[in-house]
């Protein structure tokens, strides 16, 4: 088992990464305030892993309740969140009751936001079961639900007390979701870890074949990158924004098509190619570097073009994104592989051209 | 103008108390991150004070948007909160846009929760216009909405950047609401400030007659007490719980009757008498002390008996309250005037008897 620390003073917490961690309640007990827990999961994950986790906890003397939500980004909304609150209030969950998110990014984001706001905050544990949530969304304390006018618009920064990434849960992940997770893995290489990008170029097929050792390495390296960035800039005043490479374009794709039509990672991949295209057009990225980025995404099974919504529609949706300051779009662009930069000065004509070049 | 500080490290903020502060935009400008603000108020307060505040800000070059919500505790819910989000997203409010709550406790709690969660947190200013919100809810960062199964069940600790208590706004407050505010004023005397309790016994009629000097003194003294408690225990791990004297009983009254039938302060008054009755039955409060408490509440125009819901119904509602730990009701009781204590060991038979004695 690998053990990383997210360093945030008194809110620091460990990320445990390994095979078959779900059965081992002793990994969770130190993070429980009292022996009461509510596991939140979805209809897809529940039949696979819920019984395993619940029995391990119950055998350790923990009183466990379960909430099973519908699956998918389309349900990351208030009515679904409210089902968690109904269950907590119906079951008389207390301020000391721990919420456990068992599932992908949607479950983690919603459970985290429920934990942040139920009785103004209760303890919370992340057990991510998808590659995307293991390498990205479970770490760093961003929680949220969507609003019809924008993704993740209502949320909170709220850190979990522990993250448990069980690589064994990736065995049941559909290929498409595995690829979607690789988009966020590649991102770390692109924004700050060129050696990792090189490693990914050499090992992308092993990852897609679910080689356990390769997956463990990629999850740990990704989490290490994320933890370092979050420790520097927890609430995204600066450095943390670089983690949003491809996300402003990507959110426009997700919102424009309707939540859940494209997976988040797929939208991020196409968005990253748009950001790379824009970086190339600004002279910050060479054609050879661009080609490496496109090639790795393709080999990861990811889309390298966005849907043809029209550049104006993209821009309109992007202006609703959170990455806007004083009316200017703030974009994460690349100045090479392993080097990201935050730019608020790029004209909309150039942005529109990059969108057109990378959508079809 | 009086100026108090709530000491919370980098989240410290001033409380400004005085006459006619609404017209003076210079009091607000230091708390704005950019020159964009959204004022949230309700249908009752808007015709009285909204134009005054908006024009002062606009004259100072601030771009101002306005959101006017329906009035009352019955609207402190998700659909009404969502009207704030709709307005923020429709108006493209950014992470740096400041939300300003102009109104009573309901407006402050909802605007604060919107500020805590819109884009995971935007700047926020409190301008309380009722006595209750000036002396209590606007200070200390508790924000929330209600859930059908419990009051303030969904919320966050989120501090404002500034509180502006304009005593002049109390001139238009209905008598019933003025009295409701006095319940929280009396509370500070009861839990930690016996000299203030004595002063209230001597000056309660001046307060009800809206003597400006008396009101200013009472607001400042109350805020000072609140600020001291919040600085010691921001997230209510211990000491801050004493501010909930009468509130667990009171919330049962509010939820049991339906939100808005009794004003919050009225329910707190009746709840405080229940807590006092229980303290007397446990031998911690003398009959003479009890009589002073009852007398002062009566002179303040407040109810000293709760509605006859039946003790079992009270207890059932109280078990849903946030003040429950490991299945035990935690109550704030009195050990004299100016001395509160947190008790988790009182049997339900004694609690039920006190409820029955103080409801009719």
């Amino acid at each position: 088992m690998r053990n990383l620390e997210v360093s945030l003073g008194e809110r620091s917490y460990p990320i445990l990464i390994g095979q078959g961690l779900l059965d081992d309640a002793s990994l969770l007990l130190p993070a429980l305030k009292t022996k009461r827990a509510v596991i939140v999961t979805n209809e897809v994950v529940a039949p696979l892993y819920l019984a395993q986790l619940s029995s391990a906890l119950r055998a350790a003397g923990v009183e466990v309740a379960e909430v099973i939500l519908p699956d998918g980004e389309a349900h990351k909304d208030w009515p679904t969140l409210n089902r968690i609150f109904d269950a907590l209030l119906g079951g008389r969950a207390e301020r000391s009751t721990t919420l456990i998110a068992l599932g992908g990014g949607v479950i983690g984001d919603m459970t985290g936001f429920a934990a942040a706001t139920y009785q103004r905050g209760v303890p919370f544990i992340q057990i991510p079961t998808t590659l995307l949530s293991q390498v990205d969304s479970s770490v760093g304390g961003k929680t949220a639900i969507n609003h019809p006018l924008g993704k993740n618009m209502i949320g909170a920064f709220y850190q979990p007390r522990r993250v448990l990434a069980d690589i064994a849960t990736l065995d049941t992940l559909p290929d498409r979701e595995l690829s979607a997770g690789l988009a966020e893995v590649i991102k770390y290489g692109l924004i700050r870890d060129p050696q990792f990008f090189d490693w990914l170029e050499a090992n992308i097929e092993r990852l897609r074949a679910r080689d356990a050792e390769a997956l463990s390495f990629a999850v740990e390296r990704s989490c290490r990158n994320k933890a370092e960035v979050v420790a520097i800039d927890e609430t995204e005043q600066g450095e943390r924004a670089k983690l949003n490479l491809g996300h402003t374009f990507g959110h426009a794709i997700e919102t424009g098509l309707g939540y859940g039509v494209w997976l988040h990672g797929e939208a991020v991949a196409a968005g990253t190619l748009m950001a790379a295209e824009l970086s190339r057009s600004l002279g910050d990225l060479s054609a050879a570097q661009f080609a490496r980025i496109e090639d790795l995404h393709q080999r990861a099974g990811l889309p390298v073009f966005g849907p043809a919504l029209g550049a104006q529609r993209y821009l309109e949706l992007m202006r609703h994104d959170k990455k806007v300051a004083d009316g200017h779009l703030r974009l994460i662009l690349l100045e090479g592989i392993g080097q990201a930069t935050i730019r608020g000065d790029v004209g909309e004509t150039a942005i529109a051209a990059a969108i057109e070049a990378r959508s079809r």
Side-chain angles (χ1 to χ4, degrees), chain A:
Chain A
M1 191 177 71
R2 297 153 194 254
N3 188 333
L4 293 178
E5 176 92 356
V6 183
S7 300
L8 291 166
E10 56 184 21
R11 281 169 296 109
S12 295
Y13 55 94
I15 307 170
L16 310 181
I17 303 163
Q19 285 274 347
L21 308 184
L22 277 187
D23 294 317
D24 188 351
S26 75
L27 300 177
L28 293 174
L29 293 180
L32 298 183
K33 211 163 169 179
T34 60
K35 289 207 162 184
R36 288 194 70 186
V38 177
I39 303 172
V40 181
T41 188
N42 70 30
E43 288 164 353
V44 174
V45 176
L48 297 169
Y49 301 113
L50 180 55
Q52 194 179 341
L53 177 63
S54 288
S55 347
L57 284 169
R58 288 192 180 118
V62 179
E63 186 193 326
V64 178
E66 301 169 347
V67 181
I68 301 175
L69 302 177
D71 176 45
E73 184 82 27
H75 298 284
K76 192 171 147 180
D77 57 9
W78 173 261
T80 310
L81 180 71
N82 207 28
R83 288 177 54 174
I84 305 179
F85 292 133
D86 288 344
L88 293 174
L89 281 159
R92 304 219 163 127
E94 300 169 355
R95 271 190 182 154
S96 53
T97 302
T98 301
L99 299 201
I100 301 177
L102 176 70
V106 172
I107 286 294
D109 282 8
M110 280 205 292
T111 308
F113 189 47
T117 57
Y118 180 65
Q119 300 202 5
R120 299 195 186 94
V122 298
F124 160 53
I125 294 173
Q126 288 270 22
I127 306 187
T129 61
T130 65
L131 181 59
L132 189 130
S133 56
Q134 289 185 355
V135 299
D136 185 20
S137 59
S138 70
V139 175
K142 278 195 181 181
T143 72
I145 56 172
N146 298 329
H147 183 283
L149 291 175
K151 196 173 145 71
N152 292 331
M153 276 295 162
I154 303 166
F157 287 99
Y158 194 72
Q159 301 294 340
R161 293 163 76 97
R162 180 157 292 209
V163 180
L164 221 76
D166 187 344
I167 302 295
T169 62
L170 302 182
D171 290 344
T172 52
L173 198 65
D175 285 340
R176 188 179 162 196
E177 290 205 36
L178 189 82
S179 288
L182 289 173
E184 301 282 8
V185 172
I186 295 170
K187 179 186 77 179
Y188 295 112
L190 280 174
I191 62 169
R192 67 193 310 272
D193 193 348
Q195 289 76 18
F196 187 35
F197 192 89
D198 294 345
W199 183 90
L200 287 167
E201 289 184 313
N203 292 280
I204 195 75
E205 282 77 18
R206 281 177 70 203
L207 292 171
R208 292 190 73 187
R210 299 171 203 239
D211 177 299
E213 201 188 315
L215 281 171
S216 290
F217 175 82
V219 170
E220 188 196 1
R221 183 84 169 219
S222 298
C223 287
R224 195 177 294 281
N225 274 293
K226 177 98 184 230
E228 284 172 12
V229 172
V230 169
I232 296 167
D233 176 22
E234 183 180 7
T235 59
E236 197 167 312
Q237 304 304 307
E239 189 66 17
R240 183 167 181 167
K242 293 182 182 171
L243 295 173
N244 297 320
L245 175 69
H247 282 61
T248 300
F249 296 103
H251 286 173
I253 295 172
E254 289 180 88
T255 309
L257 294 179
Y259 296 133
V261 178
W262 279 38
L263 294 176
H264 175 65
E266 294 169 339
V268 167
T272 297
L273 269 294
M274 289 175 181
E277 171 67 31
L278 184 52
S279 304
R280 178 171 64 171
S281 78
L282 297 170
D284 292 334
L285 203 64
S286 72
Q289 289 169 324
F290 182 89
R292 284 178 67 192
I293 296 169
E294 183 173 36
D295 180 58
L296 184 57
H297 280 88
Q298 273 176 324
R299 288 167 59 207
L302 287 163
V304 292
F305 287 90
L309 307 174
Q312 286 316 307
R313 177 73 178 135
Y314 268 94
L315 286 169
E316 187 188 315
L317 290 161
M318 288 163 73
R319 278 186 217 107
H320 268 299
D321 203 70
K322 290 187 293 297
K323 272 68 82 179
V324 173
D326 266 329
H328 282 80
L329 278 175
R330 272 170 74 228
L331 291 174
I332 314 306
L333 297 180
L334 293 171
E335 295 182 330
I337 285 171
Q339 184 66 43
T341 177
I342 305 170
R343 294 277 295 267
D345 61 341
V346 183
E348 296 210 344
T349 315
I351 301 174
I355 293 169
E356 290 295 355
R358 298 307 301 184
S359 57
R360 66 180 181 195

